[in-house]
Amino acid sequence: MPELPEVETTRRGLEPLVVGQTIRSLAVREPRLRWPVEPSLDRRLRNRTVQALSRRGKYLLMTTGAGTLLLHLGMSGSLRFLPERREPSRHDHFDLEFLSGAMLRFNDPRRFGSLHWCASPEAHWLLENLGPEPLGAEFSGEYLWRVSRGRRVAIKTLLMNGRIVAGLGNIYANEALFRAGIHPSRSAGRVSHKRLEQLVDAVRDVLREAIRAGGTTLQDFVGGDGKPGYFQLALDVYGKAGEPCARCKRPIRVHTIGQRATYYCASCQR
């Protein structure tokens, strides 16, 4: 599933290409995404100029003068900017067509992505309860200390709770916990203030490095230019069960936490 770095990579690549473009139409070939695409969306978007392209958690927000288009890439979705019209392929579910002749095309083999229209993004039901951005000032060791006290839930589960921190998915939670030396199954309430500060630093470092590398491509992800990400080359633990730890050379282990595969080093993480 595209996580925060992949969505931010997509946003950065598309921003200079779509901001300032005027929308001609929205051509929907498959409205049955995770939630049905609103039939009136084409009418709402016609002749609207894209003013900004931002991100909240794993969601892309395209702002126009009349409202905001809210898009989620789902498990396998990608957005491509095409300078001119091309024939769609099987899983190209919609095109946002511009007066310039260019278009933004959404491809999603599993159809878990979504497209919504909202007047006020911060009040939309998909966004209103999201926690702070992990790269923002509100996400800090002090914040994690406050929200984790008294919680028995695993620290990895806490990190992946979107109400606690927005957009931090499985790959990067695994990597950040390894860098911080914290065992993923440790109860969140038992992690010290100092170690939570180290964890926040690790989360930010991992995310920034992943964004610079264009995200992580394990199966489907490509950025707005159609190119894969390369952060998978720098992964320390994710997907490396049985391989030697980069620090101590003992084998990386894997087990399930919160129904997600969790990779860690039992020697380096406590």
Side-chain angles (χ1 to χ4, degrees), residues 27-41:
V28 179
R29 285 177 290 274
E30 176 53 87
R32 296 171 302 169
L33 300 181
R34 184 172 185 181
W35 294 281
V37 178
E38 180 184 335
S40 64
L41 202 48

Side-chain angles (χ1 to χ4, degrees), residues 44-45 48-49 51 62-69 117-121:
R44 292 178 181 273
L45 289 168
R48 301 296 181 185
T49 298
Q51 298 177 342
M62 182 178 290
T63 304
T64 74
T68 298
L69 198 61
W117 177 258
C118 53
S120 178

